Each structure stands twice: as C-alpha cells, then as structure tokens.
C-alpha cells in the first residue's frame, strides 16, 4: 500500500505562485509515475501534469504548460508542482496520484483510471 499526502495549497492572488508537494509513504520505490489532477466546483476532474518514474519525461495540460512545472526527488519520495502566474481559473482541489502501471521507464498517462493511489487533495484558491 502507498499513501500520498499533498501539501502547499493555499489562498493567493492572481499572478502569484505556489509549490505543491506530494509525499509518498508506505511501500514506495521510484518505479511509479505521478500525475497531478484538479477538480473545481461543479466541474469534472481534469489532468494537470505528469512525470515519469525517473523524471525523464513530463506531460502538461495545454492550460498550464507555460506556467506549471512538475519535478520529483526520488530520494525524498516527493513530487512537486510549481505553479506560477496563477489565474482564478486555477482554483481547484489538487490531487496527486501514483501509477505503478508503468510499461516503460518514461511512461506517463493523463487517464485517472491508470493511477493506483490517490492523495486526499490540497486546496488552491486564486483570487483576483
């Protein structure tokens, strides 16, 4: 079993920055891909970003690719999401998820059903 805990959310003004962290514990190893998803009130959950097990491959939703950056520190079992130039439309509950279904080293996926473990979420609110 793997537990994922997100942190770093908060209330910021438009144009500001936040760094979210996703810490993994339990039976962990570096052979998992991690994705970030978000869900705003009244909207469907959407993919934000993903990173492969070694960090060699990343993927971003078009809405965030110029502003967000995903990275990982496998020694700390932690994945980060650096969010810059935040907009009110970024307001959402942000979840990280881990996939142990990596079929190759640089595997990433945008599909929620491909992830095996999910965190509880951290709230990001961007005011204007």
């Amino acid at each position: 079993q793997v537990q994922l805990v997100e942190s770093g959310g908060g209330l910021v003004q438009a144009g500001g920055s936040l760094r979210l962290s996703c810490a993994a514990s339990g039976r962990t190893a570096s052979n998992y891909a991690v994705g970030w998803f978000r869900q705003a009130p009244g909207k469907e959950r959407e993919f934000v970003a993903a990173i492969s097990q070694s960090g060699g491959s990343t993927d971003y939703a078009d809405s965030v690719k110029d502003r967000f950056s995903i990275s990982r520190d496998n020694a700390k079992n932690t994945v980060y999401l650096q969010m810059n130039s935040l907009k009110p439309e970024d307001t959402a509950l942000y979840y990280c998820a881990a996939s142990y279904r990596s079929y190759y080293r640089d595997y990433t996926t945008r599909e929620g059903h491909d992830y095996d473990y999910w965190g509880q979420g951290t709230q990001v609110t961007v005011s204007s």
Side-chain angles (χ1 to χ4, degrees), residues 90-109:
D90 295 318
T91 295
L93 187 64
Y94 283 70
Y95 299 90
C96 68
S99 174
Y100 284 83
R101 309 180 189 185
S102 297
Y103 304 104
Y104 50 94
R105 285 182 299 180
D106 289 333
Y107 169 85
T108 60
T109 178

Side-chain angles (χ1 to χ4, degrees), residues 78-127:
T78 301
V79 172
Y80 305 96
L81 184 68
Q82 179 67 45
M83 306 187 297
N84 299 322
S85 301
L86 284 163
K87 304 174 181 179
E89 49 262 47
D90 295 318
T91 295
L93 187 64
Y94 283 70
Y95 299 90
C96 68
S99 174
Y100 284 83
R101 309 180 189 185
S102 297
Y103 304 104
Y104 50 94
R105 285 182 299 180
D106 289 333
Y107 169 85
T108 60
T109 178
R110 299 184 175 191
E111 300 294 328
H113 61 78
D114 289 330
Y115 290 88
D116 302 291
Y117 301 97
W118 292 78
Q120 82 291 341
T122 185
Q123 179 67 40
V124 172
T125 302
V126 184
S127 65

Side-chain angles (χ1 to χ4, degrees), residues 2-64:
V2 174
Q3 294 79 46
L4 302 175
V5 179
E6 303 95 335
S7 62
L11 174 63
V12 298
Q13 293 182 332
S17 298
L18 285 173
R19 189 181 74 161
L20 305 184
S21 297
C22 174
S25 62
R27 192 174 73 174
T28 59
S30 61
N31 62 330
Y32 59 92
V34 171
W36 284 95
F37 295 79
R38 66 187 183 186
Q39 187 167 26
K43 296 186 177 181
E44 296 293 320
R45 183 182 65 195
E46 66 174 340
F47 168 79
V48 177
I51 189 166
S52 62
Q53 57 184 297
S54 65
S57 181
T58 59
D59 188 25
Y60 299 93
D62 288 343
S63 59
V64 307

